[in-house]
Amino acid sequence: MIYSITQTINLTFSAAEVGCAGQAGEVDRLVYFFLEGLPALENQFRHIFRPHRIRPTISGIFCHQTPRVEPQPSAKLAQQSCELGDLLFLITYGRRLYNNYLGNAFLVQAKQDARSVRGTLQECLYETADSFLYRSPGGLAGQYRNLTDCPYALWYWDFTDRVWWSELPYRWSTGGLCARRHIYPQAEWPFSLVLADLICGVVGRRVRASHGTNQQDWSRIVDDMIRHTAKSTFRRQNAYISRNREPLRGEDAIRAVGATGAADVPFLIRSSFGHIFKIFDPELHEIGMKLEYLSEHFDEEKFKKEQHERFRAADEGSISEPPRLGNERPDIPEGGDGGCSFVIMDFSLG
Protein backbone atom coordinates (compact mmCIF):
# COMPACT_ATOMS: atom_id res chain seq x y z
CA MET A 1 0.00 0.00 0.00
CA ILE A 2 2.82 2.41 0.87
CA TYR A 3 4.62 1.52 -2.35
CA SER A 4 1.43 2.18 -4.37
CA ILE A 5 1.02 5.63 -2.83
CA THR A 6 4.70 6.43 -3.38
CA GLN A 7 4.58 5.41 -7.04
CA THR A 8 1.36 7.34 -7.63
CA ILE A 9 2.89 10.53 -6.24
CA ASN A 10 6.07 9.93 -8.20
CA LEU A 11 4.31 9.40 -11.54
CA THR A 12 1.77 12.23 -11.22
CA PHE A 13 4.27 14.79 -9.95
CA SER A 14 6.67 13.84 -12.74
CA ALA A 15 3.79 14.21 -15.24
CA ALA A 16 3.07 17.67 -13.85
CA GLU A 17 6.68 18.68 -14.44
CA VAL A 18 6.41 17.63 -18.09
CA GLY A 19 2.91 18.96 -18.66
CA CYS A 20 3.34 22.51 -17.37
CA ALA A 21 5.07 25.53 -18.82
CA GLY A 22 8.04 25.91 -16.52
CA GLN A 23 8.32 24.32 -13.10
CA ALA A 24 5.03 22.89 -11.87
CA GLY A 25 3.59 24.66 -8.84
CA GLU A 26 1.77 23.35 -5.80
CA VAL A 27 -1.66 23.59 -7.43
CA ASP A 28 -0.46 21.92 -10.64
CA ARG A 29 0.79 18.89 -8.72
CA LEU A 30 -2.42 18.65 -6.71
CA VAL A 31 -4.47 18.69 -9.94
CA TYR A 32 -2.40 15.91 -11.51
CA PHE A 33 -2.54 13.88 -8.27
CA PHE A 34 -6.31 14.28 -8.15
CA LEU A 35 -7.24 13.59 -11.78
CA GLU A 36 -4.58 11.05 -12.75
CA GLY A 37 -3.38 9.73 -9.42
CA LEU A 38 -6.63 8.85 -7.66
CA PRO A 39 -7.89 6.47 -10.40
CA ALA A 40 -4.48 4.77 -10.49
CA LEU A 41 -4.38 4.51 -6.71
CA GLU A 42 -7.88 3.06 -6.52
CA ASN A 43 -7.00 0.43 -9.11
CA GLN A 44 -3.84 -0.58 -7.20
CA PHE A 45 -5.68 -0.70 -3.88
CA ARG A 46 -8.31 -2.98 -5.37
CA HIS A 47 -5.64 -5.47 -6.44
CA ILE A 48 -4.06 -5.32 -2.98
CA PHE A 49 -7.30 -5.79 -1.01
CA ARG A 50 -9.15 -8.22 -3.32
CA PRO A 51 -7.79 -11.34 -1.52
CA HIS A 52 -9.18 -9.89 1.72
CA ARG A 53 -12.63 -9.25 0.14
CA ILE A 54 -12.35 -5.50 0.76
CA ARG A 55 -13.37 -3.06 -1.96
CA PRO A 56 -11.65 0.36 -1.90
CA THR A 57 -13.40 3.29 -3.57
CA ILE A 58 -11.83 6.75 -3.89
CA SER A 59 -13.96 9.83 -4.50
CA GLY A 60 -13.45 13.54 -4.07
CA ILE A 61 -13.99 17.10 -5.23
CA PHE A 62 -11.13 19.39 -6.22
CA CYS A 63 -11.70 23.15 -6.30
CA HIS A 64 -9.05 25.74 -6.96
CA GLN A 65 -10.04 27.89 -4.01
CA THR A 66 -9.86 27.25 -0.28
CA PRO A 67 -11.71 28.74 2.72
CA ARG A 68 -9.95 31.56 4.49
CA VAL A 69 -9.94 31.82 8.26
CA GLU A 70 -8.70 34.06 11.06
CA PRO A 71 -6.77 32.15 13.76
CA GLN A 72 -7.73 32.77 17.38
CA PRO A 73 -6.31 34.30 19.46
CA SER A 74 -5.49 36.86 16.79
CA ALA A 75 -1.84 36.94 15.80
CA LYS A 76 0.03 40.25 15.66
CA LEU A 77 0.75 39.95 11.95
CA ALA A 78 -0.10 42.19 9.03
CA GLN A 79 -2.08 39.44 7.33
CA GLN A 80 -5.60 39.09 8.75
CA SER A 81 -6.61 35.72 7.30
CA CYS A 82 -5.00 32.64 5.77
CA GLU A 83 -5.94 29.43 3.95
CA LEU A 84 -7.59 26.71 5.99
CA GLY A 85 -5.96 23.95 3.96
CA ASP A 86 -5.48 22.45 0.53
CA LEU A 87 -6.81 18.93 0.78
CA LEU A 88 -8.83 17.01 3.35
CA PHE A 89 -8.38 13.22 3.44
CA LEU A 90 -11.18 11.20 5.06
CA ILE A 91 -11.03 7.41 5.46
CA THR A 92 -14.37 5.59 5.79
CA TYR A 93 -15.12 1.88 6.20
CA GLY A 94 -18.42 1.23 4.42
CA ARG A 95 -20.49 2.00 7.49
CA ARG A 96 -20.41 4.02 10.67
CA LEU A 97 -18.10 2.76 13.39
CA TYR A 98 -19.89 2.09 16.69
CA ASN A 99 -22.97 3.64 15.02
CA ASN A 100 -21.43 7.07 15.52
CA TYR A 101 -18.01 7.55 13.86
CA LEU A 102 -17.65 8.11 10.13
CA GLY A 103 -13.93 7.36 10.06
CA ASN A 104 -10.56 9.07 10.34
CA ALA A 105 -9.37 12.33 8.75
CA PHE A 106 -6.59 14.86 8.44
CA LEU A 107 -6.14 18.17 6.64
CA VAL A 108 -2.99 19.02 4.70
CA GLN A 109 -1.47 22.26 3.52
CA ALA A 110 0.66 21.60 0.43
CA LYS A 111 3.91 23.56 0.25
CA GLN A 112 6.74 23.62 -2.23
CA ASP A 113 8.90 23.96 0.88
CA ALA A 114 7.27 23.51 4.29
CA ARG A 115 9.84 25.89 5.81
CA SER A 116 8.15 28.74 3.93
CA VAL A 117 5.38 28.88 6.57
CA ARG A 118 7.77 30.12 9.24
CA GLY A 119 6.64 33.45 10.67
CA THR A 120 3.32 33.40 8.77
CA LEU A 121 -0.30 33.34 9.86
CA GLN A 122 -0.50 29.83 8.39
CA GLU A 123 2.05 28.67 10.95
CA CYS A 124 0.02 30.28 13.72
CA LEU A 125 -3.16 28.50 12.57
CA TYR A 126 -1.61 25.06 12.18
CA GLU A 127 0.78 25.04 15.12
CA THR A 128 -0.52 27.23 17.97
CA ALA A 129 -4.07 28.54 17.40
CA ASP A 130 -6.79 27.03 19.58
CA SER A 131 -9.65 28.09 17.27
CA PHE A 132 -10.51 30.13 14.19
CA LEU A 133 -13.22 32.22 12.54
CA TYR A 134 -14.25 31.63 8.94
CA ARG A 135 -13.85 34.66 6.67
CA SER A 136 -14.97 32.84 3.51
CA PRO A 137 -16.92 31.26 1.88
CA GLY A 138 -20.07 33.27 2.48
CA GLY A 139 -22.08 30.39 3.92
CA LEU A 140 -19.54 29.88 6.73
CA ALA A 141 -18.25 33.42 7.27
CA GLY A 142 -18.23 34.53 10.90
CA GLN A 143 -18.62 31.03 12.34
CA TYR A 144 -16.28 29.83 15.09
CA ARG A 145 -14.51 26.45 15.17
CA ASN A 146 -12.32 24.83 17.84
CA LEU A 147 -8.91 23.25 17.11
CA THR A 148 -7.93 22.01 20.57
CA ASP A 149 -8.94 18.38 19.94
CA CYS A 150 -7.00 17.79 16.70
CA PRO A 151 -3.23 17.67 17.45
CA TYR A 152 -2.72 14.86 14.90
CA ALA A 153 -5.09 16.20 12.25
CA LEU A 154 -3.14 19.14 10.76
CA TRP A 155 -0.22 18.33 8.44
CA TYR A 156 2.10 19.94 5.94
CA TRP A 157 2.64 18.09 2.66
CA ASP A 158 6.18 19.09 1.65
CA PHE A 159 6.94 18.79 -2.08
CA THR A 160 10.67 19.51 -1.94
CA ASP A 161 12.12 16.12 -1.06
CA ARG A 162 13.73 14.22 -3.95
CA VAL A 163 15.57 10.96 -3.42
CA TRP A 164 18.14 9.81 -6.00
CA TRP A 165 17.68 6.30 -7.31
CA SER A 166 20.12 4.31 -9.39
CA GLU A 167 17.38 2.86 -11.62
CA LEU A 168 15.64 6.19 -12.36
CA PRO A 169 16.81 9.78 -12.98
CA TYR A 170 14.99 10.80 -9.82
CA ARG A 171 12.01 9.84 -7.74
CA TRP A 172 9.65 12.12 -5.90
CA SER A 173 9.50 11.25 -2.22
CA THR A 174 7.37 13.99 -0.72
CA GLY A 175 7.32 14.58 3.01
CA GLY A 176 4.63 14.75 5.67
CA LEU A 177 5.13 16.88 8.77
CA CYS A 178 2.71 16.91 11.70
CA ALA A 179 2.19 20.63 12.33
CA ARG A 180 1.69 20.34 16.08
CA ARG A 181 4.55 17.85 16.39
CA HIS A 182 3.01 15.70 19.09
CA ILE A 183 4.09 12.71 17.05
CA TYR A 184 7.16 12.20 14.87
CA PRO A 185 8.80 15.14 16.74
CA GLN A 186 11.05 17.31 14.57
CA ALA A 187 10.92 14.69 11.80
CA GLU A 188 9.50 14.76 8.30
CA TRP A 189 8.29 11.33 7.22
CA PRO A 190 7.49 10.19 3.67
CA PHE A 191 3.98 11.37 2.89
CA SER A 192 3.11 7.92 1.51
CA LEU A 193 3.76 6.48 4.98
CA VAL A 194 1.71 9.21 6.65
CA LEU A 195 -1.25 8.59 4.32
CA ALA A 196 -1.01 4.83 4.91
CA ASP A 197 -1.00 5.51 8.66
CA LEU A 198 -4.18 7.57 8.22
CA ILE A 199 -5.85 4.63 6.46
CA CYS A 200 -4.84 2.38 9.36
CA GLY A 201 -6.00 4.89 11.99
CA VAL A 202 -2.53 5.63 13.38
CA VAL A 203 -2.61 9.37 12.60
CA GLY A 204 -5.43 11.81 11.94
CA ARG A 205 -8.47 12.30 14.12
CA ARG A 206 -11.72 10.39 14.36
CA VAL A 207 -14.73 12.08 12.82
CA ARG A 208 -18.16 11.79 14.39
CA ALA A 209 -21.34 11.94 12.35
CA SER A 210 -22.91 15.40 12.45
CA HIS A 211 -25.46 15.86 15.23
CA GLY A 212 -26.63 19.38 14.44
CA THR A 213 -25.20 22.87 14.23
CA ASN A 214 -24.03 23.23 17.83
CA GLN A 215 -20.78 21.37 17.22
CA GLN A 216 -17.64 23.46 16.86
CA ASP A 217 -15.00 20.72 16.98
CA TRP A 218 -12.88 18.79 14.45
CA SER A 219 -15.86 16.70 13.30
CA ARG A 220 -17.76 19.88 12.47
CA ILE A 221 -14.78 21.25 10.51
CA VAL A 222 -14.69 18.08 8.38
CA ASP A 223 -18.46 18.28 7.89
CA ASP A 224 -18.13 21.94 6.85
CA MET A 225 -15.66 21.13 4.10
CA ILE A 226 -17.47 18.12 2.69
CA ARG A 227 -21.07 19.31 2.99
CA HIS A 228 -20.47 22.89 1.88
CA THR A 229 -18.30 21.86 -1.08
CA ALA A 230 -20.74 19.15 -2.21
CA LYS A 231 -23.63 21.62 -2.11
CA SER A 232 -21.60 24.21 -4.01
CA THR A 233 -21.20 21.89 -6.99
CA PHE A 234 -24.87 22.35 -7.89
CA ARG A 235 -24.38 26.09 -8.23
CA ARG A 236 -21.52 25.46 -10.68
CA GLN A 237 -22.38 25.02 -14.32
CA ASN A 238 -18.80 24.08 -15.18
CA ALA A 239 -17.95 21.08 -12.99
CA TYR A 240 -15.84 18.42 -14.68
CA ILE A 241 -16.98 14.98 -13.51
CA SER A 242 -14.65 12.01 -13.81
CA ARG A 243 -15.80 8.50 -12.97
CA ASN A 244 -15.55 5.24 -14.92
CA ARG A 245 -14.03 7.03 -17.90
CA GLU A 246 -10.58 7.90 -19.11
CA PRO A 247 -9.51 10.87 -16.97
CA LEU A 248 -8.34 14.17 -18.36
CA ARG A 249 -4.59 14.07 -18.81
CA GLY A 250 -1.67 16.37 -19.38
CA GLU A 251 -2.58 19.85 -20.54
CA ASP A 252 -6.33 19.16 -20.40
CA ALA A 253 -6.11 18.46 -16.67
CA ILE A 254 -4.77 21.96 -16.07
CA ARG A 255 -7.07 23.60 -18.60
CA ALA A 256 -10.06 22.09 -16.78
CA VAL A 257 -9.11 23.96 -13.62
CA GLY A 258 -8.79 27.23 -15.49
CA ALA A 259 -6.68 30.34 -15.24
CA THR A 260 -5.58 31.44 -11.78
CA GLY A 261 -8.03 33.87 -10.28
CA ALA A 262 -10.89 33.19 -12.68
CA ALA A 263 -14.25 33.79 -11.05
CA ASP A 264 -15.80 30.68 -12.62
CA VAL A 265 -13.04 28.16 -11.90
CA PRO A 266 -14.50 24.67 -12.40
CA PHE A 267 -14.83 22.03 -9.76
CA LEU A 268 -13.29 18.64 -10.60
CA ILE A 269 -15.42 15.78 -9.33
CA ARG A 270 -14.47 12.13 -8.99
CA SER A 271 -17.74 10.64 -7.88
CA SER A 272 -18.96 7.53 -6.14
CA PHE A 273 -20.85 9.64 -3.65
CA GLY A 274 -24.14 7.75 -3.91
CA HIS A 275 -22.48 4.96 -1.93
CA ILE A 276 -20.16 6.97 0.31
CA PHE A 277 -22.52 9.76 1.39
CA LYS A 278 -25.08 7.17 2.52
CA ILE A 279 -22.82 6.67 5.54
CA PHE A 280 -23.26 10.32 6.59
CA ASP A 281 -26.93 11.35 6.76
CA PRO A 282 -30.03 11.63 4.52
CA GLU A 283 -29.18 15.16 3.33
CA LEU A 284 -25.72 14.22 2.07
CA HIS A 285 -26.99 10.90 0.70
CA GLU A 286 -29.46 12.82 -1.47
CA ILE A 287 -26.66 15.10 -2.67
CA GLY A 288 -24.54 12.03 -3.38
CA MET A 289 -27.26 10.48 -5.53
CA LYS A 290 -27.55 13.73 -7.51
CA LEU A 291 -23.80 13.74 -8.05
CA GLU A 292 -24.03 10.16 -9.30
CA TYR A 293 -26.71 11.25 -11.76
CA LEU A 294 -24.51 14.11 -12.97
CA SER A 295 -21.67 11.64 -13.37
CA GLU A 296 -23.74 9.27 -15.49
CA HIS A 297 -24.95 12.10 -17.76
CA PHE A 298 -21.77 14.14 -17.97
CA ASP A 299 -20.91 15.27 -21.52
CA GLU A 300 -17.18 15.93 -21.81
CA GLU A 301 -17.45 17.48 -25.29
CA LYS A 302 -20.11 19.92 -24.10
CA PHE A 303 -17.91 20.80 -21.14
CA LYS A 304 -14.98 21.56 -23.44
CA LYS A 305 -17.14 23.74 -25.71
CA GLU A 306 -18.42 25.71 -22.73
CA GLN A 307 -14.83 26.13 -21.53
CA HIS A 308 -13.66 26.97 -25.06
CA GLU A 309 -11.06 29.55 -24.11
CA ARG A 310 -9.34 27.11 -21.79
CA PHE A 311 -9.25 24.27 -24.30
CA ARG A 312 -8.92 26.27 -27.52
CA ALA A 313 -5.14 25.92 -27.83
CA ALA A 314 -5.30 22.15 -27.61
CA ASP A 315 -8.34 21.77 -29.88
CA GLU A 316 -6.94 23.99 -32.63
CA GLY A 317 -3.46 22.50 -32.58
CA SER A 318 -1.87 25.64 -31.20
CA ILE A 319 1.78 25.43 -30.26
CA SER A 320 1.25 27.63 -27.22
CA GLU A 321 2.78 26.22 -24.06
CA PRO A 322 0.63 24.31 -21.57
CA PRO A 323 -0.75 26.55 -18.81
CA ARG A 324 0.68 26.67 -15.31
CA LEU A 325 -1.38 27.33 -12.20
CA GLY A 326 1.57 27.85 -9.85
CA ASN A 327 1.31 28.14 -6.07
CA GLU A 328 -1.47 30.68 -5.55
CA ARG A 329 -5.07 29.84 -4.68
CA PRO A 330 -7.52 32.56 -5.72
CA ASP A 331 -9.71 34.11 -3.03
CA ILE A 332 -13.36 33.17 -2.93
CA PRO A 333 -15.36 36.23 -4.09
CA GLU A 334 -17.17 38.03 -1.27
CA GLY A 335 -20.39 36.15 -0.62
CA GLY A 336 -19.33 33.35 -2.99
CA ASP A 337 -19.90 29.69 -2.24
CA GLY A 338 -16.44 28.29 -3.01
CA GLY A 339 -15.33 25.12 -1.28
CA CYS A 340 -12.42 23.04 -0.04
CA SER A 341 -10.87 20.11 -1.89
CA PHE A 342 -11.36 16.72 -0.28
CA VAL A 343 -10.70 13.04 -0.94
CA ILE A 344 -12.68 10.22 0.65
CA MET A 345 -11.15 6.74 0.61
CA ASP A 346 -13.76 4.13 1.50
CA PHE A 347 -12.88 0.52 2.37
CA SER A 348 -15.99 -1.69 2.31
CA LEU A 349 -16.43 -5.43 2.75
CA GLY A 350 -17.49 -7.34 -0.34
Side-chain angles (χ1 to χ4, degrees):
M1 187 168 64
I2 295 170
Y3 179 80
S4 296
I5 298 169
T6 300
Q7 285 299 93
T8 297
I9 293 172
N10 177 41
L11 292 173
T12 54
F13 281 27
S14 297
E17 288 293 302
V18 174
C20 295
Q23 184 180 13
E26 297 159 5
V27 181
D28 301 292
R29 295 192 182 106
L30 289 173
V31 170
Y32 274 79
F33 176 77
F34 188 92
L35 272 181
E36 294 195 28
L38 295 187
L41 195 58
E42 180 183 84
N43 184 57
Q44 293 175 79
F45 278 1
R46 288 189 174 180
H47 283 291
I48 293 169
F49 286 98
R50 184 174 293 121
H52 306 285
R53 302 185 67 184
I54 295 174
R55 182 178 178 83
T57 303
I58 302 180
S59 295
I61 297 177
F62 184 92
C63 48
H64 197 182
Q65 300 155 331
T66 175
R68 296 191 69 85
V69 301
E70 181 183 321
Q72 301 292 319
S74 297
K76 295 180 179 180
L77 295 170
Q79 191 180 13
Q80 297 300 307
S81 66
C82 62
E83 299 166 356
L84 176 57
D86 285 313
L87 194 57
L88 173 79
F89 287 90
L90 171 64
I91 311 302
T92 58
Y93 305 98
R95 59 182 175 81
R96 292 190 186 184
L97 305 177
Y98 305 106
N99 202 36
N100 190 19
Y101 292 98
L102 296 173
N104 195 41
F106 66 32
L107 179 65
V108 303
Q109 181 69 34
K111 289 294 180 184
Q112 187 68 33
D113 183 348
R115 293 171 297 182
S116 65
V117 302
R118 297 295 166 244
T120 68
L121 201 61
Q122 191 83 53
E123 179 187 39
C124 172
L125 173 69
Y126 268 51
E127 300 184 21
T128 60
D130 56 28
S131 59
F132 66 80
L133 289 174
Y134 282 108
R135 291 305 178 203
S136 66
L140 296 172
Q143 295 187 35
Y144 167 92
R145 298 289 183 265
N146 194 305
L147 290 172
T148 56
D149 68 338
C150 52
Y152 311 137
L154 301 173
W155 289 75
Y156 300 119
W157 186 359
D158 188 351
F159 290 170
T160 59
D161 188 19
R162 286 184 178 183
V163 178
W164 189 267
W165 249 17
S166 59
E167 295 94 351
L168 295 172
Y170 67 82
R171 171 180 119 170
W172 286 95
S173 180
T174 60
L177 182 65
C178 184
R180 305 214 166 193
R181 296 190 178 90
H182 292 280
I183 53 177
Y184 305 152
Q186 307 301 322
E188 185 175 277
W189 287 63
F191 186 76
S192 53
L193 175 59
V194 175
L195 185 54
D197 277 351
L198 177 73
I199 294 170
C200 297
V202 176
V203 302
R205 176 72 177 173
R206 276 190 172 183
V207 177
R208 292 177 182 269
S210 177
H211 295 296
T213 59
N214 293 327
Q215 291 175 279
Q216 297 176 331
D217 59 3
W218 170 244
S219 295
R220 181 67 187 282
I221 295 169
V222 173
D223 188 80
D224 290 341
M225 288 182 274
I226 293 175
R227 191 179 305 269
H228 192 86
T229 305
K231 287 180 178 180
S232 294
T233 61
F234 297 109
R235 293 187 285 272
R236 295 284 175 136
Q237 301 302 312
N238 55 352
Y240 179 87
I241 304 174
S242 170
R243 185 71 204 173
N244 297 328
R245 59 167 51 88
E246 185 72 14
L248 283 174
R249 295 187 180 278
E251 295 181 31
D252 280 357
I254 300 298
R255 295 185 197 280
V257 181
T260 301
D264 62 343
V265 171
F267 281 30
L268 309 179
I269 305 171
R270 177 170 169 75
S271 173
S272 286
F273 292 122
H275 161 65
I276 291 177
F277 279 173
K278 187 177 181 179
I279 304 169
F280 288 70
D281 55 49
E283 180 188 33
L284 268 177
H285 184 214
E286 182 179 358
I287 292 173
M289 295 304 295
K290 290 179 180 178
L291 287 172
E292 289 291 307
Y293 177 84
L294 290 177
S295 178
E296 292 171 3
H297 294 83
F298 178 70
D299 187 336
E300 184 172 324
E301 291 306 313
K302 180 181 177 183
F303 173 87
K304 286 188 175 183
K305 288 179 181 178
E306 291 174 346
Q307 302 294 318
H308 176 68
E309 287 303 313
R310 295 186 175 113
F311 287 91
R312 179 168 53 87
D315 290 342
E316 296 177 2
S318 169
I319 60 173
S320 62
E321 292 182 322
R324 177 181 178 273
L325 299 175
N327 296 332
E328 299 302 320
R329 291 74 164 165
D331 289 338
I332 298 172
E334 186 174 351
D337 47 18
C340 184
S341 302
F342 66 86
V343 172
I344 301 178
M345 298 182 176
D346 181 72
F347 296 83
S348 299
L349 289 174

